[in-house]
Each structure stands twice: as structure tokens, then as C-alpha cells.
Amino acid sequence: MNDGVILLVEDNPDDVAFTLRAFAKNNITNRVVIASDGAEALDLLLPPDGRPPLQPALVLLDMKLPKYDGLEVLQRLRAAPSTQALPVVVLTTSSEERDIVESYRLGANSYVRKPVIFTDFVRATNVLGMYWLLVNEPVPPRPGSHA
């Protein structure tokens, strides 16, 4: 299993707790870094001050975020060479067709609507974890990157 960091970009503390509980139920033991808004996510992934960027195995990105929404975060990640191949799964309550279409147009790897019932969410998290952390073959790190 890929034991890399998971970046969870989520502003709702209840959804953060819900996600962490679902990870625990599925024995997903990867370290989880939480960004509570779009600006914090971009600061971690594309630091403006020369710090080494966070290089997660997976980004779980909510749509409705303060400062920069999920679409803006996704657009900036895909515009930067260092994050173009980063796996980004939009994990959101939005089922608006515009959000789905725009997420894929901007380069999301997957779009998953958060189930409201915890047992359904646990199942969805299991599938996400199995695929992105076990089955998927990630892009190898570039020479000289901070992997």
C-alpha cells in the first residue's frame, strides 16, 4: 500500500472528523494533513517562500471552501508543473452538474459525492483507499524533487 501522506482539503470540522473515522474503520493508516481552506492547501502544495512542498500520495478536495474554492485550487495545481500529475479526488457534497463538468475539465482525477450516511461513506472511503493507495501506480518522482 502507498503509505504517502493524504492531504484532506476540507473546511467543515464535522466532515474532517467523519473522514478520519472512515479512514480508521478501513485501516487506512496514512498520515493525513488537513488544510481548512483553499489558500492553506495551495500554501502547502505550492509554497511561495521556497519551503519544500508537501508531496501527498493523494489530495481529497472539497468544492465549497473559504478563500479559494476547490475549482480555483484545482486550476492552480494543474497550472504548476510540480503538481500537474498529483492525484486529486474531488470529495464533496455538491452534485451540481457544473461542478462535476468543471472539475473534470480542470483535471480532477475523480469526482465523488460524499454519502451522508456514515456506513455508505465508510464504503466509499474503502473504495477510494483501495484504488488510490493500493491499485493505482503513481507517477514516479522527478529527479531532484522533494519526495
Side-chain angles (χ1 to χ4, degrees), residues 48-81:
D49 57 6
R51 281 179 288 125
L54 180 68
Q55 294 188 322
L58 178 63
V59 176
L60 299 175
L61 179 63
D62 190 22
M63 277 285 98
K64 312 255 189 286
L65 295 166
K67 299 186 181 173
Y68 298 112
D69 70 12
L71 293 173
E72 176 72 15
V73 171
L74 185 57
Q75 184 174 24
R76 289 181 183 214
L77 293 179
R78 293 308 186 231

Side-chain angles (χ1 to χ4, degrees), residues 15-137:
D15 285 350
V16 169
F18 203 55
T19 304
L20 295 176
R21 279 184 48 217
F23 284 167
K25 284 245 184 227
N26 286 302
N27 297 313
I28 297 172
T29 58
N30 300 59
R31 183 169 74 95
V32 178
V33 173
I34 296 155
S36 59
D37 61 51
E40 187 178 354
L42 291 170
D43 185 63
L44 289 166
L45 296 167
L46 301 167
D49 57 6
R51 281 179 288 125
L54 180 68
Q55 294 188 322
L58 178 63
V59 176
L60 299 175
L61 179 63
D62 190 22
M63 277 285 98
K64 312 255 189 286
L65 295 166
K67 299 186 181 173
Y68 298 112
D69 70 12
L71 293 173
E72 176 72 15
V73 171
L74 185 57
Q75 184 174 24
R76 289 181 183 214
L77 293 179
R78 293 308 186 231
S82 63
T83 53
Q84 283 177 343
L86 184 64
V88 177
V89 173
V90 174
L91 182 63
T92 185
T93 56
S94 174
S95 59
E96 293 178 32
E97 186 174 321
R98 176 200 166 278
D99 287 343
I100 297 167
V101 169
E102 198 61 11
S103 293
Y104 281 119
R105 189 186 73 73
L106 292 172
N109 297 93
S110 187
Y111 191 100
V112 177
R113 220 167 62 74
K114 290 180 203 168
V116 178
I117 299 168
F118 184 68
T119 54
D120 294 341
F121 189 73
V122 168
R123 277 193 290 275
T125 305
N126 184 45
V127 171
L128 282 172
M130 290 291 289
Y131 179 76
W132 288 107
L133 301 173
L134 188 60
V135 175
N136 183 58
E137 189 69 36

